[in-house]
Amino acid sequence: MDAKELLRRYATGERDFTGVKLPGVHLMDKELSKVIFREADLSNAYLDWTNLSYADLSHANLRGARLGEAALNGANLEGADLSEAVFGQTTFGKANLSHAKLRDAILTETSFKNANLSYADLSGARDFSINRCKGAIFCETIMPDGTIRSDGA
């Protein structure tokens, strides 16, 4: 499957793309809300400006992906690997990032308002701002500086 086929199938109402292998795929500025990419390989994908609100990306490989200005509000990213991903003005409002890996990610102006960051690993993440985490849940969360945080922001 390639990007064109995925978008065609999405347009016809298909939402479940569990386990799809699309490393390096270009899906910039697309409407993919409520898509299911559970356990998918989207490593190094280009997802800038893409609407992934309420998507299921649990246990997906998004290592090195670009998600600048992407909308991930209400998305399920439990156990997802977002290491070395590049974010900029990305929104994770009410998203589930429990057990997610964001190691060495670039988080410029990224919002985690009311997100669940329980057991997430943010070690080495750059440009992280606690001020963009209003209402976020921290439980055994590894912060960018390596400290462990367990409280609400």
Side-chain angles (χ1 to χ4, degrees):
M1 178 184 313
D2 60 10
K4 187 176 180 180
E5 175 70 8
L6 182 137
L7 293 170
R8 184 192 66 73
R9 289 166 61 176
Y10 183 90
T12 64
E14 188 173 344
R15 294 294 178 267
D16 193 344
F17 299 97
T18 297
V20 71
K21 308 274 188 248
L22 291 169
V25 70
H26 287 251
L27 291 170
M28 296 183 301
D29 199 21
K30 302 299 180 199
E31 170 59 47
L32 294 171
S33 61
K34 299 182 182 176
V35 71
I36 300 169
F37 281 140
R38 189 178 315 121
E39 299 175 0
D41 182 359
L42 299 169
S43 56
N44 300 306
Y46 292 85
L47 299 162
D48 298 302
W49 306 288
T50 297
N51 183 3
L52 291 161
S53 295
Y54 304 100
D56 183 350
L57 293 149
S58 56
H59 305 283
N61 178 4
L62 289 149
R63 187 178 191 93
R66 296 187 50 88
L67 292 129
E69 297 187 48
L72 288 142
N73 297 305
N76 181 9
L77 292 127
E78 181 178 2
D81 187 352
L82 299 154
S83 299
E84 301 171 12
V86 179
F87 302 92
Q89 298 180 347
T90 305
T91 56
F92 284 104
K94 297 184 180 178
N96 178 10
L97 289 141
S98 63
H99 300 276
K101 295 177 191 87
L102 291 115
R103 293 183 208 128
D104 300 313
I106 299 172
L107 301 169
T108 309
E109 297 184 39
T110 295
S111 173
F112 294 97
K113 185 176 181 183
N114 298 313
N116 180 357
L117 290 161
S118 298
Y119 305 99
D121 183 353
L122 295 153
S123 56
R126 296 185 298 277
D127 300 327
F128 174 81
S129 173
I130 197 69
N131 296 330
R132 295 182 174 276
C133 296
K134 184 177 180 183
I137 299 167
F138 295 94
C139 179
E140 299 296 315
T141 305
I142 302 172
M143 301 304 285
D145 64 1
T147 60
I148 306 293
R149 184 172 180 143
S150 292
D151 65 303

